[in-house]
Amino acid sequence: MRLLSFLLLPVLLIPKIYSQTAPEIRYIDASQLTMIGKALPTSHLYHRIDTTVYGKLTASENQQARCSAGLALTFKTNSTSIELLPTYKWEHKKDNMTGIAAAGFDLYIKRENKWVYANSGAPQVRNKEFTIIKDMDTTEKECLLYLPIYSELENLKIGIQQTATIKAIPNPFKSKVVFFGSSFTQGTSASRPGMSYPMQIERNLDVHVCNLGFAGNSKLQPYFAELIADIDADTFVFDAFSNPSEEIIRKRLVSFLEIISKKHKETPLIFVETIHRGNTNFNLSSRRHEEKKKEAAKEIMVELMQKYPNVYFIESPLPESISDDTSADGVHPSDLGYYYWANNLGDKLNKILNLKTKMTNQK
């Protein structure tokens, strides 16, 4: 028996020896770093909209406003590893969302003045720490950490090596562009938080994007228009025709724009046609429903562009020839679909924004 105990001793010591050689981690509260992606100030750091200020939201809209889609932290660190310790108030679980997209994090690091994907992940056990990246070199790196698309965070701590440094940096992006719209805009079916089309446009065009996607709930409500009118931004982009029916578009679109334009007479207000949905290829009733929406939107937007010089309408953000084979669930694009969407729409937005810059400079 004594011999058996002696033989087991080295085995029992292994975890202790390992823990002594593992690097010590210290955590800082994420509130010490720079938060970007906020359209408006909020009393809760990880909410997109302050639901105590905008109280007309429905229960579903209120819950989505408290999700962190499009919010990101920016910082510099020379740590060779980065740990995350999130705590959640609520998590979204649905078949067309990965766990990383719904409740996880997406890390980009700047290299040669470009944001390069580093890694992504979510805790295996909720409210427990996990490593999002390790085994890096000790050079100081500029980091961009996207927060979960559909979950509500209560708190977040960032872990680095005990001897490493971490510090907040100014917002690395330029002009502020607010995207308002549907589940497409919020990022449904993207595999990770940084792959929604607005966040890809953020990195592609080097603009500060604020994501106000409300899945299934973007229906040209007047209280959403009032909220948007309160935002100070350089440009607004509206995915406004994906959720509402033809009837709602005809009933609400004009007044929706009027509310916003009263406070934004010169700011570019860019409305975008909804995309072709793969599940309408053979479903005749769904196809007609979508066609009527597109017809109504285009008809009214032509009239509104004649009345408002700062209003634009972009057709086919994701060409039909591409959208068929990039659908994730018959409605929402996959990462590949969002990649094409971001590049195609980004090019069209860039032309408008460059045009606006030239017009301003001529005054």
Side-chain angles (χ1 to χ4, degrees):
M1 187 60 116
R2 291 178 62 190
L3 177 60
L4 179 60
S5 299
F6 179 77
L7 290 174
L8 286 174
L9 184 59
V11 177
L12 295 172
L13 285 175
I14 288 175
K16 186 175 181 180
I17 294 171
Y18 177 79
S19 65
Q20 288 176 342
T21 58
E24 292 185 21
I25 301 297
R26 64 183 176 93
Y27 287 88
I28 69 160
D29 196 280
S31 62
Q32 298 180 40
L33 305 176
T34 303
M35 175 74 78
I36 66 171
K38 291 273 190 179
L40 289 164
T42 60
S43 55
H44 192 293
L45 181 63
Y46 302 106
H47 292 178
R48 293 185 294 160
I49 297 296
D50 195 327
T51 55
T52 64
V53 175
Y54 297 94
K56 295 180 182 179
L57 304 181
T58 66
S60 175
E61 295 159 2
N62 184 295
Q63 187 179 59
Q64 290 171 339
R66 291 181 277 115
C67 294
S68 52
L71 301 184
L73 295 167
T74 58
F75 56 93
K76 280 186 177 181
T77 183
N78 62 356
S79 182
T80 62
S81 65
I82 299 175
E83 310 275 328
L84 301 179
L85 177 54
T87 53
Y88 301 84
K89 290 192 69 174
W90 171 81
E91 294 176 62
H92 176 90
K93 296 183 185 298
K94 202 170 182 181
D95 290 342
N96 60 358
M97 292 293 293
T98 68
I100 290 175
F105 301 80
D106 210 2
L107 177 65
Y108 284 76
I109 295 176
K110 185 168 281 190
R111 184 172 66 191
E112 297 178 356
N113 211 35
K114 292 183 179 179
W115 291 108
V116 178
Y117 173 69
N119 204 19
S120 49
Q124 295 297 310
V125 179
R126 288 302 177 250
N127 302 327
K128 293 292 184 180
E129 68 276 3
F130 73 100
T131 303
I132 193 166
I133 195 166
K134 62 181 180 179
D135 295 333
M136 297 191 292
D137 62 40
T138 56
T139 59
E140 190 174 56
K141 298 169 184 65
E142 189 171 341
C143 299
L144 173 66
L145 180 69
Y146 288 110
L147 307 186
I149 291 176
Y150 270 98
S151 296
E152 181 182 356
L153 285 172
E154 175 64 25
N155 194 24
L156 176 64
K157 295 183 184 299
I158 311 293
I160 60 170
Q161 292 170 297
Q162 188 69 34
T163 57
T165 61
I166 185 169
K167 59 185 177 183
I169 58 173
N171 186 340
F173 297 107
K174 300 175 183 176
S175 58
K176 181 178 177 181
V177 181
V178 174
F179 283 76
F180 173 80
S182 67
S183 56
F184 296 135
T185 297
Q186 191 166 353
T188 297
S189 292
S191 67
R192 47 191 176 81
M195 285 304 290
S196 65
Y197 80 83
M199 308 335 294
Q200 291 193 59
I201 288 175
E202 176 172 72
R203 299 189 301 276
N204 293 346
L205 298 187
D206 193 29
V207 292
H208 178 209
V209 167
C210 301
N211 187 323
L212 292 184
F214 286 81
N217 289 315
S218 171
K219 298 180 180 179
L220 299 167
Q221 298 96 315
Y223 52 83
F224 270 137
E226 292 165 2
L227 184 159
I228 292 166
D230 287 344
I231 300 171
D232 182 17
D234 297 293
T235 306
F236 293 90
V237 181
F238 300 93
D239 157 34
F241 309 123
S242 296
N243 288 153
S245 63
E246 174 201 10
E247 180 183 6
I248 291 176
I249 291 171
R250 292 190 181 279
K251 182 179 179 181
R252 295 180 178 175
L253 177 55
V254 173
S255 59
F256 181 85
L257 177 56
E258 285 177 348
I259 293 170
I260 297 171
S261 63
K262 286 178 182 178
K263 292 188 177 179
H264 297 280
K265 299 182 184 301
E266 297 186 2
T267 309
L269 306 177
I270 304 171
F271 288 77
V272 182
E273 185 178 47
T274 190
I275 67 167
H276 171 76
R277 305 184 183 204
N279 64 6
T280 65
N281 288 333
F282 298 97
N283 186 318
L284 299 181
S285 59
S286 294
R287 186 192 306 175
R288 185 57 188 156
H289 175 76
E290 290 298 312
E291 287 174 348
K292 286 182 177 179
K293 287 164 53 174
K294 288 187 175 183
E295 290 168 3
K298 187 173 182 178
E299 174 189 323
I300 299 171
M301 287 307 305
V302 168
E303 297 175 1
L304 291 174
M305 284 190 293
Q306 293 176 346
K307 181 178 180 181
Y308 298 96
N310 61 321
V311 171
Y312 302 83
F313 181 56
I314 293 177
E315 298 181 61
S316 302
L318 178 61
E320 185 173 335
S321 59
I322 295 175
S323 63
D324 280 344
D325 286 336
T326 61
S327 179
D329 59 3
V331 176
H332 305 93
S334 63
D335 280 354
L336 182 60
Y338 282 130
Y339 170 83
Y340 283 118
W341 188 337
N343 281 274
N344 187 48
L345 178 58
D347 287 343
K348 294 180 178 182
L349 290 176
N350 206 23
K351 290 178 181 178
I352 292 173
L353 298 177
N354 284 342
L355 173 63
K356 183 66 178 178
T357 300
K358 291 177 181 178
M359 292 172 61
T360 303
N361 290 340
Q362 290 173 358
K363 290 181 180 180

